Amino acid sequence: MIEDREPIRVALLGCGTVGTEVVRLLQEHPTEYAARTGAPVRVTGVAVRRPHKHPDVPEQLLTTDAAALVEGSADVIVELIGGIEPARSLLLAALRAGKSVVTANKALLAEHGSELYAAADANGVDIYFEAAVAGAIPLLRPLRESLAGDRINRVTGIVNGTSNYILSAMDSTGAGYEETLEEANRLGYAEADPTADVDGFDAASKAAILASLAFHTRVGAGDVHREGISGIGAGDIEAARSLNRTVKLLAICERVIDEDGTESVSARVHPAMIPRDHPLAGVGGAFNAVFVEAESAGQLMFYGQGAGGAPTASAVLGDLVAAARNVVVSGKGPRESAHAQLPARAMDWTPTRYHISLDVADRPGVLSQVAATFNEHDVSISVVRQQGRGADASLVVVTHTAADSALRATVEQIARLSSVNEVASVMRVEGEQS
Amino acid sequence: MIEDREPIRVALLGCGTVGTEVVRLLQEHPTEYAARTGAPVRVTGVAVRRPHKHPDVPEQLLTTDAAALVEGSADVIVELIGGIEPARSLLLAALRAGKSVVTANKALLAEHGSELYAAADANGVDIYFEAAVAGAIPLLRPLRESLAGDRINRVTGIVNGTSNYILSAMDSTGAGYEETLEEANRLGYAEADPTADVDGFDAASKAAILASLAFHTRVGAGDVHREGISGIGAGDIEAARSLNRTVKLLAICERVIDEDGTESVSARVHPAMIPRDHPLAGVGGAFNAVFVEAESAGQLMFYGQGAGGAPTASAVLGDLVAAARNVVVSGKGPRESAHAQLPARAMDWTPTRYHISLDVADRPGVLSQVAATFNEHDVSISVVRQQGRGADASLVVVTHTAADSALRATVEQIARLSSVNEVASVMRVEGEQS
């Protein structure tokens, strides 16, 4: 009988909504977890700062001594503390003590992933982290394992629920950024301090993890170009709408191939307009989705809930079953694959496309002056639309692909043209052929 | 150096478009496959019926003797023959000879999966089959592994590209079934004999595999209720459109829980109306998508190409890397998980909802007569809409959930009512709250 086998001992570090859910599910369905793992799965300790704040966790499991749990008899350590320290030191200690690790800590992995993967490898144990990106969506295992025989060219993700909630709401109500953020705050979709979400830090950590897996290359958070959504106004959303596009905060991981065949990896987070018929355009509210383009598989999309206690617990438990089963059968999950080690592409030299909306003087020759400026920077124009008359005269330009620095320089010079009253909106364009 | 290690030897059985692509990719990118596997991956034989028909495969690899390859020195056997025999005997022989197996053979797995899983288990080797369902979409690994810590309640898939192409085209052109099938034939989206696709056999095999994985229960093709799309007319599509719904051929795998808590598994393939804002409604053309509802993860969707040489090769190669890596590290993939063994639910007792469109006589009392019939069968009505006058008078009814047999009996009795001229359209309704 499976139930009579030596149990796999699991210790949790940190126990917020996700941890509480993990403990609850393990204790409510012991037979199912035993069947899936090949042995009973037993929680033997839960390290928290304030034990009296955890009435849902059996008291005898609670401890304030995380280090003791890591050094103790557990087979698998589940880390749900978040942040860099003490999570990093605790996990390194756990791996060195021969324990497998399951973590949801995206910031830690983006900053110190290599160190952790190396420690896992050196000690013959596993590190799993499905919950670190896109919550419940099974994404990292497919990238690491299902697509291991393919060549991924691009990963484009909506990986921050708060930003996506705000942008979706701005799109459907026409309201401005500040107003929508306040509403999101009120409804619990944004933290009191939303910086990590709206300024793209959270998405940048996830982009680093995705790029590392997709391109078999070490990419850290520092390699990721990052722009948030706080500069987006109702005018930008309206401009997108008038072109049948919508604005999303995207994490983009791309294999860039130069004319001479040299490959590099661009990892970036910024808002961009995408066509309304793109599969990512319909991803509304706090949902996450990741669009993958691979050489053989073609286009794939993964969609689901990116955050929340139960969804994140689902991802953590999937990893826990895998790690525990490996303990039972003396197996081993996939190790870090960084054999390609492609260089990081600086944003300046990353090919992008811009949409630029200008308030212009209503007089002849404006278009030729603007077009000349694009020409000077070797930026080729895809679409121009002139609208309105008098004070309402406007010019909308969508470029072909060019180096981001050339596009930025073009916009700066255009802003100084006498015939241009104001640069009303500048936004990158993604998800369509250039 | 990885390149100097003992290579993993791979033999292919069958070599159509998928096999040719697999051989090409392995031979074009040896360094990448070696890095991902931990050892060189070498194709040592390809069994085909007519060697001269395979100019793209190096001649010295080709053989007509599949049995010899299976008994030979290969570590992993990739089966791309399809059909039951000789595939079944060859794979059983391979597993018994201690070789791991990668297969894309949905019919074989749906009919003889248990036998193959047991043989793999008894001999300590792997059987992987990602390509058997939804082509390139990484789906089986997420179900088996990522969601191993969750409880899946429902899997709803568009898993047959030909049917989806036809239904999408009927929806956008308003054309009838026969005409659209002919067009699909002409464009290469339908086989000369489209029976397996349009009559739901292909989808039923996939439903059996999905239900087995999702519910840890053995479900065979014979347990799957099956209806195809050949009976769908332009009127059904139009009826769906007028209710802001669209018609899809769905493979549905569902955990049904009776009032007394008894659980059973309903696996079925039939056309159904779904709301246009359902994530599956936007899946057009030959694409596949699978919508999963799990207790903790909530709603997930996996989207991508369901067929084709390169997409299927991507899935086969992902499995091949996994199987080969397990040979290198003496590891072992997940085994069959059939611990729940829930009983199969007969279609008669499966709760469904119907949309019924009737041409009725234009006289008072029709509605009450129809409503009485529903009442007699204990079927509760959700929406009724009366439209038109005279010869055009029609009645549209959408029911609440009831046992499928009760709904069918109701429709039969209604068809015999004197006030009903014709039952214009009957279609199940999925993807919304009842």
Side-chain angles (χ1 to χ4, degrees):
Chain A
M1 289 296 294
I2 284 177
E3 282 84 350
D4 302 331
R5 294 204 189 141
E6 185 72 15
I8 302 299
R9 291 148 300 184
V10 178
L12 271 72
L13 312 180
C15 195
T17 45
V18 178
T20 306
E21 189 69 8
V22 167
V23 173
R24 182 181 74 76
L25 287 165
L26 285 172
Q27 300 204 319
E28 278 182 13
H29 305 290
T31 321
E32 289 195 19
Y33 285 101
R36 293 170 191 190
T37 303
V41 179
R42 188 168 301 159
V43 179
T44 54
V46 179
V48 295
R49 266 188 297 184
R50 288 178 292 270
H52 65 278
K53 293 238 179 184
H54 300 271
D56 296 337
V57 177
E59 205 181 329
Q60 72 279 12
L61 295 179
L62 292 167
T63 171
T64 55
D65 194 347
L69 280 189
V70 162
E71 299 297 337
S73 64
D75 301 293
V76 184
I77 301 291
V78 176
E79 186 267 312
L80 300 166
I81 309 174
I84 306 297
E85 286 294 352
R88 175 179 156 275
S89 304
L90 288 167
L91 290 191
L92 284 172
L95 294 166
R96 286 174 192 147
K99 298 170 191 336
S100 288
V101 160
V102 173
T103 174
N105 193 327
K106 54 196 167 269
L108 179 61
L109 290 162
E111 295 257 353
H112 300 282
S114 308
E115 190 183 12
L116 292 163
Y117 306 143
D121 215 37
N123 294 282
V125 290
D126 287 327
I127 175 162
Y128 283 103
F129 46 92
E130 184 68 68
V133 181
I137 310 175
L139 175 66
L140 305 189
R141 187 173 272 106
L143 283 184
R144 284 221 279 188
E145 302 179 46
S146 308
L147 291 169
D150 206 333
R151 191 179 165 83
I152 297 172
N153 288 319
R154 209 161 194 278
V155 178
T156 311
I158 295 174
V159 293
N160 182 270
T162 301
S163 311
N164 199 51
Y165 176 86
I166 292 172
L167 292 174
S168 299
M170 287 173 72
D171 185 71
S172 59
T173 63
Y177 172 75
E178 288 300 338
E179 186 184 339
T180 310
L181 173 58
E182 267 170 44
E183 177 77 1
N185 243 306
R186 216 176 46 76
L187 295 172
Y189 285 108
E191 308 264 351
D193 175 4
T195 313
D197 295 315
V198 300
D199 289 350
F201 290 99
D202 172 80
S205 292
K206 293 166 177 170
I209 297 170
L210 289 173
S212 303
L213 297 181
F215 303 121
H216 307 278
T217 287
R218 285 188 185 134
V219 179
D223 300 317
V224 182
H225 173 82
R226 181 186 51 75
E227 297 171 31
I229 62 167
S230 59
I232 295 178
D236 296 307
I237 304 282
E238 185 46 40
R241 177 183 294 282
S242 72
L243 293 162
N244 209 23
R245 296 189 174 105
T246 184
V247 177
K248 294 290 184 188
L249 181 69
L250 299 180
I252 301 170
C253 309
E254 190 175 18
R255 182 194 301 274
V256 182
I257 307 178
D258 282 321
E259 275 173 26
D260 66 358
T262 318
E263 299 195 351
S264 55
V265 169
S266 161
R268 55 194 200 264
V269 169
H270 57 68
M273 290 185 184
I274 58 172
R276 283 204 179 257
D277 60 2
H278 191 283
L280 288 173
V283 177
F287 272 84
N288 279 200
V290 177
F291 190 73
V292 176
E293 292 160 85
E295 205 144 298
S296 296
Q299 302 183 337
L300 302 168
M301 192 172 80
F302 303 82
Y303 166 95
Q305 295 191 61
T312 310
S314 168
V316 167
L317 284 163
D319 280 355
L320 177 56
V321 168
R325 195 171 42 206
N326 284 341
V327 174
V328 173
V329 302
S330 306
K332 174 96 180 61
R335 41 184 288 184
E336 183 194 17
S337 166
H339 61 85
Q341 275 307 48
L342 301 176
R345 184 92 176 185
M347 190 63 190
D348 276 356
W349 307 111
T350 296
T352 62
R353 298 179 66 196
Y354 273 34
H355 159 277
I356 303 152
S357 176
L358 307 170
D359 288 345
V360 294
D362 183 19
R363 64 177 184 236
V366 173
L367 177 55
S368 88
Q369 214 181 11
V370 168
T373 312
F374 277 94
N375 200 34
E376 235 173 85
H377 292 271
D378 231 3
V379 172
S380 143
I381 291 176
S382 165
V383 179
V384 173
R385 191 186 294 176
Q386 296 198 71
Q387 279 172 318
R389 315 234 8 123
D392 282 339
S394 75
L395 197 63
V396 171
V397 179
V398 181
T399 73
H400 281 300
T401 300
D404 199 73
S405 55
L407 289 160
R408 222 167 39 245
T410 310
V411 173
E412 278 163 23
Q413 193 173 326
I414 282 173
R416 290 194 300 269
L417 290 178
S418 60
S419 56
V420 171
N421 302 327
E422 197 198 350
V423 178
S425 166
V426 179
M427 181 96 33
R428 295 193 186 84
V429 176
E430 294 283 344
E432 50 198 289
Q433 295 306 314
S434 57
Chain B
M1 289 298 295
I2 284 177
E3 282 85 349
D4 301 332
R5 293 202 191 142
E6 186 72 17
I8 301 298
R9 290 149 299 182
V10 178
L12 271 73
L13 311 183
C15 195
T17 46
V18 178
T20 306
E21 190 69 9
V22 166
V23 173
R24 183 182 74 77
L25 288 165
L26 285 172
Q27 300 205 318
E28 278 180 14
H29 306 289
T31 322
E32 290 195 20
Y33 284 100
R36 294 170 191 189
T37 303
V41 179
R42 188 167 301 159
V43 179
T44 54
V46 179
V48 295
R49 265 189 296 183
R50 287 178 292 269
H52 65 279
K53 293 238 179 182
H54 300 272
D56 296 338
V57 177
E59 204 182 328
Q60 73 277 13
L61 295 179
L62 293 166
T63 170
T64 54
D65 192 349
L69 280 188
V70 162
E71 298 298 335
S73 64
D75 301 294
V76 183
I77 300 291
V78 177
E79 185 267 311
L80 300 166
I81 309 174
I84 305 300
E85 287 295 353
R88 174 179 157 274
S89 304
L90 288 167
L91 290 189
L92 284 171
L95 294 165
R96 285 173 192 148
K99 300 171 190 337
S100 287
V101 160
V102 173
T103 173
N105 194 329
K106 55 197 167 273
L108 178 61
L109 290 162
E111 294 258 351
H112 300 281
S114 308
E115 189 183 12
L116 292 164
Y117 307 142
D121 215 37
N123 294 283
V125 291
D126 288 327
I127 176 163
Y128 283 104
F129 47 92
E130 184 67 66
V133 182
I137 310 175
L139 175 65
L140 304 190
R141 187 173 271 105
L143 284 183
R144 285 221 279 188
E145 303 180 43
S146 308
L147 292 168
D150 205 333
R151 191 180 166 81
I152 297 171
N153 288 321
R154 208 161 195 279
V155 178
T156 312
I158 295 174
V159 293
N160 181 270
T162 302
S163 311
N164 199 51
Y165 176 85
I166 293 172
L167 292 174
S168 299
M170 286 174 73
D171 185 70
S172 59
T173 63
Y177 172 76
E178 288 299 339
E179 184 185 341
T180 311
L181 172 59
E182 266 170 45
E183 177 77 359
N185 243 305
R186 216 176 46 78
L187 295 170
Y189 286 108
E191 309 262 352
D193 175 5
T195 313
D197 296 314
V198 300
D199 288 349
F201 290 99
D202 172 81
S205 291
K206 293 166 177 171
I209 297 171
L210 289 173
S212 302
L213 296 181
F215 303 121
H216 306 278
T217 288
R218 286 190 186 134
V219 179
D223 300 317
V224 181
H225 173 82
R226 180 186 51 76
E227 297 171 31
I229 62 168
S230 60
I232 295 178
D236 296 307
I237 304 282
E238 185 47 40
R241 176 184 295 282
S242 71
L243 292 162
N244 208 26
R245 296 187 175 107
T246 185
V247 177
K248 296 288 185 190
L249 180 69
L250 300 178
I252 302 170
C253 310
E254 191 176 16
R255 184 194 299 275
V256 181
I257 307 177
D258 281 321
E259 274 172 26
D260 66 358
T262 316
E263 300 193 350
S264 54
V265 169
S266 160
R268 55 195 202 265
V269 169
H270 57 68
M273 290 186 183
I274 58 172
R276 284 204 178 256
D277 60 1
H278 191 284
L280 287 175
V283 177
F287 272 84
N288 279 198
V290 177
F291 191 72
V292 177
E293 293 161 82
E295 204 144 299
S296 295
Q299 301 182 336
L300 302 168
M301 192 171 79
F302 303 81
Y303 166 94
Q305 295 190 60
T312 309
S314 170
V316 168
L317 284 163
D319 280 354
L320 176 56
V321 168
R325 196 171 42 208
N326 284 340
V327 174
V328 173
V329 303
S330 305
K332 174 95 180 63
R335 40 185 286 184
E336 183 193 19
S337 165
H339 61 85
Q341 275 307 46
L342 302 176
R345 184 92 176 184
M347 190 64 191
D348 276 354
W349 305 111
T350 296
T352 62
R353 299 180 65 198
Y354 274 33
H355 158 278
I356 303 153
S357 178
L358 307 169
D359 289 342
V360 293
D362 182 19
R363 63 174 185 240
V366 173
L367 177 56
S368 88
Q369 211 181 13
V370 168
T373 313
F374 278 93
N375 200 34
E376 234 172 88
H377 292 272
D378 229 4
V379 173
S380 144
I381 291 176
S382 165
V383 179
V384 174
R385 191 185 294 174
Q386 296 198 73
Q387 279 172 319
R389 313 228 17 115
D392 283 339
S394 76
L395 197 63
V396 171
V397 180
V398 182
T399 73
H400 281 299
T401 299
D404 200 73
S405 55
L407 289 161
R408 222 168 40 245
T410 310
V411 173
E412 278 162 23
Q413 193 172 329
I414 283 173
R416 290 194 300 267
L417 290 178
S418 61
S419 54
V420 171
N421 301 327
E422 196 199 351
V423 177
S425 166
V426 179
M427 180 98 33
R428 294 195 185 82
V429 176
E430 293 285 343
E432 51 198 286
Q433 295 307 314
S434 59

